[in-house]
Amino acid sequence: MRFGLGDAAAPELELELEMEDVDMKASSGSSPVTASAMAASYNDQIRPLLDAVDRLRQLNVSQEGIQLPTIVVVGDQSSGKSSVLESLAGISLPRGQGICTRVPLVMRLQDGNEPELRIEYGSGSSVTIASEAEVAAAIDAATAEIAGSGKGISDAPITLVVRKKGVPDLTLVDLPGITRVPVQGQPEDIYDQIARIIRAYIAPRESIILNVLSATVDFPTCESIRMSQQVDRSGERTLAVVTKADRAPEGLLEKVTMDDVHIGLGYVCVRNRIGDETYEEARAAERRLFAEHPLLSRIDRSMVGIPTLAGRLTQIQASIIGRCLPDIVKQINDKLSRSSDELGQMPPDLNTVADAVREFYHIVKQVRASLEKVLVRGEFDEYPDDRRRHGTARIAEMLESYASKLPAAAQCSTSDDVVGEPFLAEEMRVLEETKGINLPNFLPRSALLVLLRKKLESVAHVPHGLVTQVWGYVEELVLGILQHHSRSYPQVHPSCRRAVQSLMDKARARSAQHVAELIDMELVADYTANPDYTMKWNDMMATEGHARFLQAVEDHSKPAVVELPGFGEVDVSHLRLQQKLAGQALDLRARLAAYWSCVVLRLVDGLALHVLYSVKRLVEKDLEDELAAQVLGSNMDGVERMLVPTPATAAKRDRLRKSISLLRECRELVANTMDKINAASDDRCF
């Protein structure tokens, strides 16, 4: 037969058996003439897969986010859940009032000639049980150790291994029964705790929900139905077991055929073991009940009996494993690849000072490469969306702002912008104070220098502000990139921060000295070889404009407001009282304005080149030297701290190594299982 899960698509891994399950044949009355052939096929193909999945579960591969195909048993309290599991396993489980199952119980049933009973829980604890009569007590003892001796619950599982002749090869997870009202000794939120555990197990699509329902209740009112419908609305992975059929036979046929609660994998009705009945006696009584009862005998034989349930679960389990196994293999490989890549990206283990020094210089090399990109070459592929780290663009904006502020600051110091100060008033005062015994009509050089000094003093704060802004930004950028590349070694961050701060203090001092020298050089002499000076002075002193100015000053009949090139409309009425100096004052103003354009150009270009050179020097030389001095020092204190990983780094490396080891073991396990199945298939072909 070809296994399938309900009406779901055919599984990726096709599992073919040559005959139906023995229990299903027995329940239908068919002759088991090919039982040995079927058993061989089952042992060759299905049993290895079941063992592999059980081993994966034992390895706790789910902690890696890989879900395994699981049959999860849920039911309301007193629904008969424990009785169903007892009938499947042929052993007695804990009984009592209230919640009997207080922790998830993973039941691994294995058909075998050599009986074995064993409990596994916690971190590797394993207890062999001497006899079936001691199983319940052993489970109670393990439960008490995990969840306490009271009535509380826990999500830490217990695994019960049952190997005996005649049990179906199944792995089921029995969860605590659902109860809404806490009894004495139970926490007030007992329902919420149970619901969280149940949802965690039934939510994955790899889980098959075995919903245990009592025939004595209306199915739509069952809390277990409501929970399963929340995660499996269509019911395609839900199988219902109806217990206590002998207590409420009336209307049961209609319940399981009308299917008001959408059970996609169908129903199986069973009779619970009563009193001191043996399991064999209980099965015989069950067969008679569904064969002879006037109402229950009308239910189709494919929907009744523990043997039928065992066969259905075995079939479903094989199908879901076949469907999920390829995806499990893919998830293991993908997770292994990601974990290996992540471990490879972590800093290496440093065992000696030499290792630490090599790693330190590797970090410095990375920092230099990143800074060269963002501060020298203008590349920002490492930080495409972080505009704050596009260094050359931000520094260019600062320089553009500086270039526009410098002339504006100078204008604020001119006589025109002082409230009530007439045109050329300051130039007239300076000419008065700098006059001497010399030839007439010659401009005293000292007059130009006085006005130039005043303008330079008024703008000196602008270049100083630029270097402060630039180095503040560069410091922020260097620290950010340095900490990014040394993020695996936060223990050296204080030393790196001190190195950067020391380096920036030196850079600020050099730049401040450079600005001071630029200003001082401008005060040494009024000199320029820039031809723009003469062109601009000639434009402002054009013959027509200069003549209009002199006429307006000398001829009182002319309008006092005149339009002058480079100055706009000006009022010259106050100059008519000092006609001799008026022409010189205009000439002085024109010369200063033309010369100031050259000064501004020198201040802008000179400081811009200084900034670019200083940043390049810092990136290519100074930073490495300063970091080496601070971190390495004379006694290697800084790099020795690198030898001790941070708790977070050590924990992450340990977690990744354990993950890789686990995933490799899981991959090897699945590969060996598939090799075994393929080898068995080849042997049968021959």
Side-chain angles (χ1 to χ4, degrees):
M1 64 174 277
R2 187 181 301 275
F3 285 108
L5 181 57
D7 295 328
E12 290 85 342
L13 178 65
E14 300 293 352
L15 301 175
E16 299 204 20
L17 295 181
E18 297 174 357
M19 61 190 68
E20 299 291 342
D21 184 270
V22 172
D23 288 326
M24 296 179 70
K25 278 184 168 291
S27 65
S28 64
S30 300
S31 173
V33 293
T34 56
S36 61
M38 188 217 70
S41 179
Y42 184 90
N43 289 332
D44 289 343
Q45 294 189 23
I46 306 303
R47 186 65 175 271
L49 291 178
L50 300 183
D51 292 342
V53 172
D54 282 340
R55 178 59 181 155
L56 291 175
R57 186 176 286 108
Q58 195 175 16
L59 291 172
N60 198 19
V61 72
S62 59
Q63 70 184 358
E64 299 295 332
I66 299 172
Q67 299 297 333
L68 297 175
T70 305
I71 298 176
V72 183
V73 185
V74 298
D76 291 7
Q77 188 174 323
S78 302
S79 62
K81 188 162 52 70
S82 295
S83 296
V84 171
L85 297 174
E86 287 179 341
S87 297
L88 289 170
I91 58 173
S92 297
L93 299 175
R95 296 282 188 129
Q97 296 297 320
I99 300 176
C100 302
T101 305
R102 297 195 292 127
V103 300
L105 177 63
V106 181
M107 296 183 63
R108 293 168 55 194
L109 309 182
Q110 300 174 350
D111 185 13
N113 294 322
E114 298 180 4
E116 180 185 9
L117 294 171
R118 186 176 73 254
I119 280 184
E120 300 168 352
Y121 62 95
S123 55
S125 299
S126 180
V127 178
T128 299
I129 305 172
S131 67
E132 294 182 8
E134 300 176 10
V135 169
I139 293 175
D140 284 338
T143 300
E145 186 172 335
I146 293 173
S149 57
K151 297 182 179 180
I153 65 171
S154 171
D155 60 357
I158 295 173
T159 297
L160 172 63
V161 178
V162 179
R163 181 182 294 115
K164 60 186 294 188
K165 185 67 175 177
V167 299
D169 282 291
L170 288 173
T171 298
L172 308 99
V173 180
D174 182 26
L175 299 179
I178 304 168
T179 179
R180 279 197 170 275
V181 181
V183 299
Q184 186 175 3
Q186 288 180 340
E188 291 297 321
D189 64 341
I190 186 67
Y191 170 79
D192 294 331
Q193 291 186 32
I194 293 173
R196 279 196 295 271
I197 294 175
I198 291 176
R199 290 191 186 100
Y201 275 89
I202 67 176
R205 290 195 55 80
E206 295 82 4
S207 295
I208 297 297
I209 305 169
L210 181 59
N211 207 322
V212 181
L213 309 171
S214 173
T216 60
V217 302
D218 291 333
F219 297 165
T221 65
C222 294
E223 188 66 21
S224 63
I225 287 291
R226 189 183 70 83
M227 285 190 182
S228 63
Q229 286 180 338
Q230 288 177 345
V231 298
D232 182 31
R233 188 167 298 277
S234 66
E236 64 180 359
R237 52 189 182 90
T238 302
L239 173 68
V241 181
V242 183
T243 64
K244 306 177 185 179
D246 52 329
R247 297 188 188 180
E250 294 82 5
L252 183 56
L253 175 62
E254 288 74 16
K255 282 184 177 181
V256 298
T257 53
M258 292 180 62
D259 187 24
D260 292 336
V261 290
H262 306 296
I263 303 296
L265 296 178
Y267 295 80
V268 178
C269 303
V270 300
R271 173 190 177 275
N272 293 17
R273 187 166 63 99
I274 299 174
D276 295 330
E277 286 181 336
T278 66
Y279 291 104
E280 291 76 12
E281 291 171 346
R283 295 289 69 76
E286 183 182 61
R287 284 193 296 273
R288 288 194 301 273
L289 176 68
F290 288 109
E292 300 172 2
H293 192 283
L295 296 177
L296 298 180
S297 61
R298 296 166 57 191
I299 301 175
D300 191 278
R301 293 187 64 188
S302 65
M303 298 174 63
V304 298
I306 289 295
T308 298
L309 175 62
R312 292 285 298 281
L313 290 175
T314 303
Q315 177 186 3
I316 290 170
Q317 180 177 249
S319 177
I320 190 67
I321 289 176
R323 180 168 63 85
C324 294
L325 192 60
D327 188 55
I328 292 173
V329 172
K330 182 178 183 301
Q331 289 184 63
I332 290 174
N333 289 330
D334 290 348
K335 180 67 175 177
L336 179 58
S337 177
R338 288 195 300 271
S339 296
S340 298
D341 290 345
E342 192 173 355
L343 181 62
Q345 292 170 4
M346 289 192 68
D349 280 331
L350 305 179
N351 301 313
T352 66
V353 172
D355 291 340
V357 171
R358 279 193 295 271
E359 181 64 13
F360 167 74
Y361 277 110
H362 176 66
I363 292 171
V364 172
K365 182 179 179 181
Q366 290 179 313
V367 172
R368 173 174 171 171
S370 294
L371 290 174
E372 283 181 337
K373 282 185 175 182
V374 300
L375 282 175
V376 179
R377 298 199 301 271
E379 301 170 4
F380 49 86
D381 53 287
E382 290 185 26
Y383 313 101
D385 300 320
D386 189 352
R387 295 184 70 255
R388 188 65 183 166
R389 292 194 176 185
H390 300 172
T392 54
R394 302 291 80 80
I395 292 177
E397 290 172 352
M398 296 175 197
L399 290 172
E400 289 171 3
S401 176
Y402 162 67
S404 63
K405 285 179 182 177
L406 205 55
Q411 285 180 356
C412 293
S413 67
T414 61
S415 61
D416 298 26
D417 298 307
V418 179
V419 177
E421 185 83 336
F423 179 60
L424 299 181
E426 184 167 10
E427 285 77 6
M428 297 286 285
R429 284 196 300 271
V430 170
L431 286 171
E432 284 284 351
E433 298 303 319
T434 57
K435 65 185 178 181
I437 302 173
N438 47 31
L439 292 173
N441 296 328
F442 276 86
L443 281 177
R445 179 170 175 268
S446 57
L448 180 65
L449 292 178
V450 168
L451 293 174
L452 178 61
R453 175 180 290 275
K454 183 175 181 180
K455 289 175 77 68
L456 284 169
E457 290 174 350
S458 70
V459 301
H461 67 282
V462 180
H464 281 291
L466 171 67
V467 296
T468 299
Q469 183 185 18
V470 167
W471 290 122
Y473 168 73
V474 171
E475 179 176 0
E476 173 193 330
L477 186 60
V478 171
L479 277 175
I481 291 177
L482 180 57
Q483 289 181 353
H484 170 72
H485 286 296
S486 63
R487 60 190 180 279
S488 299
Y489 302 99
Q491 58 269 49
V492 300
H493 283 179
S495 298
C496 293
R497 189 177 297 108
R498 286 194 299 271
V500 172
Q501 290 171 346
S502 173
L503 186 60
M504 292 304 151
D505 288 343
K506 295 174 183 176
R508 289 187 182 95
R510 283 196 300 268
S511 294
Q513 178 65 26
H514 182 77
V515 169
E517 289 176 352
L518 282 178
I519 299 296
D520 289 344
M521 284 189 292
E522 294 298 339
L523 294 173
V524 169
D526 48 338
Y527 169 78
T528 182
N530 191 335
D532 287 347
Y533 165 73
T534 304
M535 291 174 57
K536 289 182 179 178
W537 177 77
N538 285 332
D539 289 342
M540 287 185 283
M541 295 297 290
T543 303
E544 183 179 349
H546 187 248
R548 282 203 306 271
F549 172 76
L550 293 178
Q551 287 178 0
V553 171
E554 296 171 357
D555 187 351
H556 294 192
S557 65
K558 298 287 185 180
V561 177
V562 63
E563 180 79 21
L564 296 179
F567 301 108
E569 282 190 353
V570 296
D571 185 354
V572 300
S573 58
H574 60 287
L575 299 176
R576 289 173 174 173
L577 301 176
Q578 296 177 295
Q579 296 179 10
K580 293 182 179 180
L581 291 178
Q584 286 186 316
L586 179 64
D587 188 11
L588 180 60
R589 168 66 74 90
R591 291 180 183 276
L592 182 62
Y595 184 61
W596 182 248
S597 297
C598 300
V599 171
V600 167
L601 187 61
R602 284 199 293 257
L603 291 177
V604 171
D605 289 350
L607 191 52
L609 290 173
H610 166 78
V611 165
L612 296 178
Y613 167 75
S614 299
V615 169
K616 189 173 186 292
R617 170 181 162 177
L618 178 143
V619 170
E620 296 179 350
K621 181 181 184 300
D622 294 349
L623 180 61
E624 181 175 340
D625 294 344
E626 193 69 33
L627 285 172
Q630 285 284 347
V631 178
L632 300 181
S634 59
N635 52 9
M636 298 289 181
D637 284 346
V639 291
E640 285 183 354
R641 287 194 291 271
M642 294 174 66
L643 296 176
V644 183
T646 64
T649 299
K652 182 178 180 181
R653 182 180 284 114
D654 184 60
R655 174 181 60 80
L656 288 172
R657 285 174 173 168
K658 288 180 178 178
S659 172
I660 290 170
S661 176
L662 170 63
L663 292 167
R664 283 175 176 167
E665 185 175 357
C666 292
R667 184 176 64 178
E668 186 70 16
L669 170 67
V670 175
N672 290 340
T673 300
M674 298 310 300
D675 289 344
K676 186 184 299 184
I677 292 173
N678 292 334
S681 298
D682 293 342
D683 290 343
R684 284 202 311 276
C685 291
F686 289 106

